[in-house]
Amino acid sequence: AQSVTQLDSHVSVSEGTPVLLRCNYSSSYSPSLFWYVQHPNKGLQLLLKYTSAATLVKGINGFEAEFKKSETSFHLTKPSAHMSDAAEYFCVVSDGNFNKFYFGSGTKLNVKP
Amino acid sequence: NAGVTQTPKFQVLKTGQSMTLQCAQDMNHEYMSWYRQDPGMGLRLIHYSVGAGITDQGEVPNGYNVSRSTTEDFPLRLLSAAPSQTSVYFCASSYRGGANTEAFFGQGTRLTVV
């Protein structure tokens, strides 16, 4: 069975400081993992995806994530937060057939001026 | 290129009413699915389809019905609305492409049942 756990429901950072959003996954086989972002009252936008080609994945807007099999983690990072990064972020694992996606409960990122 | 289009964007229903949420995609994706988003719970899968004429239940299917007569459309029917179905509903599509496949989402339908 597939599942993801996002370890923080809320994260608050100051503009210009690093961002770390944590995600642990459970999967019965080699997982396909994704991070999506949702700005207030908007749909979901793909930030990045891991599909076993490389453990460090670069996404849009300066975000990246590192797949660590030994730790079953796929944490999202950004070196320097921007006000426009304030949103909710979801870690997602697919079932391998890509017709079902399992979402974490989400992490709301607040960026302070 | 419209992607995944959901209608309506907002809807208020009275308890016991029925309605259909529409979803259409123009990317010729085989897979389509419906999710509901509730605070603190992420998105949960309601129903999904792997192709025209094929549907199956997800995690929270009770009170919802789906059909898929064409590749493009995947409507979600609420049979008798209940306040517990107040939520934001997202339709998604993806293609049968293996490890590089992600889900594409519509803009959501915010449903309130009073």
Side-chain angles (χ1 to χ4, degrees):
Chain A
Q2 284 67 244
S3 67
V4 290
T5 301
Q6 291 184 244
L7 300 169
D8 306 293
S9 59
H10 291 83
V11 170
S12 186
V13 301
S14 297
E15 191 174 22
T17 64
V19 175
L20 170 63
L21 306 183
R22 299 182 293 165
C23 172
N24 287 115
Y25 70 90
S26 173
S27 177
S28 49
Y29 40 77
S30 183
S32 288
L33 293 157
F34 309 82
W35 277 98
Y36 282 84
V37 61
Q38 184 181 33
H39 287 94
N41 300 312
K42 298 290 187 186
L44 292 109
Q45 180 184 17
L46 179 70
L47 271 181
L48 50 80
K49 59 185 177 184
Y50 166 75
T51 54
S52 77
T55 56
L56 184 62
V57 182
K58 294 190 184 300
I60 61 171
N61 300 333
F63 284 94
E64 61 182 37
E66 186 171 9
F67 173 74
K68 291 187 176 181
K69 186 176 181 179
S70 60
E71 299 176 11
T72 61
S73 69
F74 190 55
H75 300 335
L76 182 71
T77 60
K78 183 173 180 178
S80 176
H82 192 273
M83 295 298 292
S84 61
D85 295 328
E88 189 162 19
Y89 293 78
F90 293 97
C91 183
V92 182
V93 63
S94 84
D95 70 341
N97 293 319
F98 303 96
N99 56 352
K100 287 189 269 188
F101 294 81
Y102 300 90
F103 283 73
S105 54
T107 299
K108 288 187 178 175
L109 176 65
N110 178 44
V111 182
K112 297 175 288 186
Chain B
N1 188 356
V4 180
T5 303
Q6 290 182 236
T7 55
K9 288 188 167 52
F10 301 94
Q11 183 70 50
V12 178
L13 285 180
K14 293 182 178 178
T15 298
Q17 285 185 315
S18 63
M19 80 159 294
T20 299
L21 307 185
Q22 301 291 346
C23 175
Q25 54 94 5
D26 62 358
M27 297 173 282
N28 202 31
H29 285 171
E30 294 91 341
Y31 300 154
M32 296 185 74
S33 49
W34 277 101
Y35 295 82
R36 61 177 287 173
Q37 182 180 25
D38 301 294
M41 302 185 76
L43 277 71
R44 293 179 292 167
L45 181 64
I46 304 172
H47 285 286
Y48 66 98
S49 169
V50 298
I54 306 169
T55 64
D56 205 346
Q57 296 180 351
E59 192 182 352
V60 288
N62 292 341
Y64 307 95
N65 212 349
V66 293
S67 60
R68 184 123 177 250
S69 55
T70 67
T71 299
E72 294 78 19
D73 300 300
F74 190 45
L76 177 72
R77 296 181 188 84
L78 278 70
L79 309 172
S80 176
S84 60
Q85 294 179 304
T86 293
S87 187
V88 182
Y89 292 84
F90 286 97
C91 179
S93 73
S94 54
Y95 63 92
R96 194 177 177 182
N100 291 320
T101 301
E102 70 263 28
F104 294 80
F105 289 86
Q107 291 299 298
T109 296
R110 186 173 294 273
L111 175 69
T112 302
V113 182
V114 298

